[in-house]
Amino acid sequence: MQNRRTFIKKSGLLIAASTLPIPNFLFPKNREKLGVALVGLGNYSTGQLAPALQETEFCELKGIVTGSPEKIPLWQRKYEIKDQNVYNYDNMDRIANNDEIDVIYIVLPTGLHAQYAIKAANTGKQVWCEKPMAKTSEECRAIIEACNKNRVKLSIGYRMQHEKNTQTLIKWAETKPFGKMKNLKAEAGYYGDPMTPWKLEKEMGGGAMYDMGVYPLNAARYTTGLEPISVSARHIINRPEIFDEVDETTTFNLEFPNGLTADCKTSFGENLNNLEVNCEDGWYYLRPFQSYSGVKGKGSDGTVLPPFGKNQQAVQMDDDALAIIEDKPVLVPGEDGLKDIIIPEKIYESASKNGERLNL
């Protein structure tokens, strides 16, 4: 049976950066928090990560990297960022000499993740990278290799795995309180109008499968605790005048060992937010399952999973900061992000072959 641990062993990768000792990093004794630099000041950094960093216990916003000079004064005023902690994409390698910055968080379009995550690793700072990890599995491996080479930790920004109710489902994959799983359904999407421009560009890693598809894909993996053995997929495009390079909607079916299946859907043309699991002795669900707040669920036995009250991004970054401070494995290492790119590569191949089922 192929599970996550088996995948990591079979992947042929070097020891994960998340498990390497970090002799070149010592938590500054004169500071109580790790300094974080955000690379890219788009919507996610502006609306989610920067505010969340104000709620964290173990890290704080200390620097920014941007190619938009007009944004700098606002960020400096709002977050008291020093002049010497402001960088652009050409000189961010100088962060290597900045003792106030311990972590570099890559928050750029997917197509740029590899270039700048590798650049971040080469500074000797710890690396956090938003999901999806990169555009190709080759790029993912290059990021992992760079972090290994520089002996820094690499964590992928899967906030859901840090969320309380999601963690309950991850535990249920082992304890099976509703009996053996039979099948599950996972859907994530929104109606984009207008769309963020880069999400329509193939070169930038755009498309529903890359941007939103990692939610149902990753959910199918962590909810079952297994790795899929085959996949079939199809693309649906209802607005070809907009989606002329990338997929608008993708449906995909994953087959796991022992006949367990997952029906998944992701879209830029539909509002979708549902994860449900059918078992031999009952069922359970999270609905919504990947919203920034209000994730809640229910089980057939009357179990209620109430909304988690904490800021998801703050919990995620605190967990990752503690892994650095205590030199422990991160919750979501690069290998997890790599798997969620290997499978989409097969999903796109299957869709190009009219839904042919392909082995993984």
Side-chain angles (χ1 to χ4, degrees), residues 27-44:
F27 184 59
K29 294 181 179 179
N30 63 333
R31 289 193 281 117
E32 296 181 352
K33 298 185 177 185
L34 296 181
V36 177
L38 296 177
V39 181
L41 306 183
N43 291 335
Y44 195 62

Side-chain angles (χ1 to χ4, degrees), residues 177-188:
F178 296 87
K180 182 181 178 181
M181 291 184 192
K182 296 194 299 183
N183 56 71
L184 67 86
K185 181 166 72 172
E187 302 174 319

Side-chain angles (χ1 to χ4, degrees), residues 30-73:
N30 63 333
R31 289 193 281 117
E32 296 181 352
K33 298 185 177 185
L34 296 181
V36 177
L38 296 177
V39 181
L41 306 183
N43 291 335
Y44 195 62
S45 284
T46 302
Q48 303 300 326
L49 294 178
L53 279 163
Q54 312 313 302
E55 300 183 35
T56 55
E57 183 178 355
F58 303 109
C59 46
E60 60 184 336
L61 178 59
K62 298 296 288 187
I64 54 175
V65 180
T66 181
S68 303
E70 69 278 6
K71 295 181 180 180
I72 295 173

Side-chain angles (χ1 to χ4, degrees), residues 287-339:
R287 193 180 302 135
F289 91 92
Q290 52 78 221
S291 296
Y292 290 151
S293 62
V295 172
K296 59 184 179 180
K298 186 177 180 180
S300 57
D301 64 350
T303 297
V304 175
L305 301 174
F308 184 42
K310 295 184 179 180
N311 182 297
Q312 293 173 6
Q313 287 84 358
V315 172
Q316 168 201 323
M317 291 187 285
D318 265 344
D319 285 348
D320 289 338
L322 270 178
I324 294 169
I325 294 168
E326 298 177 351
D327 193 13
K328 294 180 178 179
V330 300
L331 182 61
V332 189
E335 289 80 6
D336 211 0
L338 168 63
K339 187 62 176 180

Side-chain angles (χ1 to χ4, degrees), residues 34-292:
L34 296 181
V36 177
L38 296 177
V39 181
L41 306 183
N43 291 335
Y44 195 62
S45 284
T46 302
Q48 303 300 326
L49 294 178
L53 279 163
Q54 312 313 302
E55 300 183 35
T56 55
E57 183 178 355
F58 303 109
C59 46
E60 60 184 336
L61 178 59
K62 298 296 288 187
I64 54 175
V65 180
T66 181
S68 303
E70 69 278 6
K71 295 181 180 180
I72 295 173
L74 175 62
W75 278 72
Q76 286 193 292
R77 287 195 302 269
K78 189 170 184 178
Y79 297 111
E80 300 180 351
I81 297 172
K82 300 176 183 178
D83 289 342
Q84 60 265 34
N85 292 354
V86 176
Y87 300 86
N88 59 49
Y89 300 122
D90 294 325
N91 68 14
M92 65 174 280
D93 58 308
R94 297 178 188 173
I95 295 177
N97 302 315
N98 192 328
D99 291 337
E100 292 191 346
I101 295 175
D102 309 298
V103 178
I104 299 177
Y105 196 158
I106 308 303
V107 201
L108 293 165
T110 304
L112 300 174
H113 282 187
Q115 178 182 351
Y116 290 98
I118 291 170
K119 200 169 186 177
N122 288 337
T123 68
K125 305 295 183 178
Q126 314 306 306
V127 181
W128 297 346
C129 183
E130 252 315 300
K131 64 84 194 160
M133 184 175 173
K135 194 172 66 171
T136 68
S137 56
E138 181 180 1
E139 290 180 344
C140 291
R141 291 187 177 94
I143 295 172
I144 294 171
E145 182 180 355
C147 290
N148 284 342
K149 178 182 177 181
N150 290 283
R151 306 190 78 176
V152 299
K153 289 187 185 291
L154 169 63
S155 183
I156 310 303
Y158 282 91
R159 60 186 168 84
M160 297 319 306
Q161 292 198 36
H162 299 261
E163 192 272 333
K164 183 178 180 181
N165 289 331
T166 304
Q167 289 185 337
T168 296
L169 264 60
I170 292 172
K171 292 176 183 176
W172 285 355
E174 293 290 334
T175 61
K176 296 179 175 55
F178 296 87
K180 182 181 178 181
M181 291 184 192
K182 296 194 299 183
N183 56 71
L184 67 86
K185 181 166 72 172
E187 302 174 319
Y190 62 90
Y191 187 83
D193 185 19
M195 287 295 303
T196 303
W198 74 261
K199 294 183 180 182
L200 299 173
E201 299 177 21
K202 184 177 181 180
E203 186 64 25
M204 284 290 98
M209 186 62 224
Y210 273 111
D211 186 59
M212 294 298 292
V214 292
Y215 286 114
L217 173 55
N218 198 249
R221 294 176 54 232
Y222 63 62
T223 302
T224 61
L226 301 170
E227 297 297 342
I229 57 176
S230 67
V231 63
S232 62
R234 293 185 182 275
H235 295 321
I236 302 169
I237 297 180
N238 293 319
R239 294 175 287 171
E241 71 280 5
I242 299 175
F243 296 91
D244 57 351
E245 286 190 29
V246 298
D247 55 308
E248 180 180 12
T249 298
T250 295
T251 61
F252 57 100
N253 176 273
L254 302 170
E255 182 182 354
F256 294 87
N258 298 335
L260 175 61
T261 60
D263 290 314
C264 304
K265 187 175 186 179
T266 185
S267 181
F268 284 153
E270 296 181 59
N271 293 316
L272 305 167
N273 206 331
N274 179 50
L275 171 61
E276 55 187 60
V277 184
N278 292 307
C279 306
E280 289 183 343
D281 301 323
W283 49 261
Y284 51 94
Y285 66 77
L286 290 180
R287 193 180 302 135
F289 91 92
Q290 52 78 221
S291 296
Y292 290 151

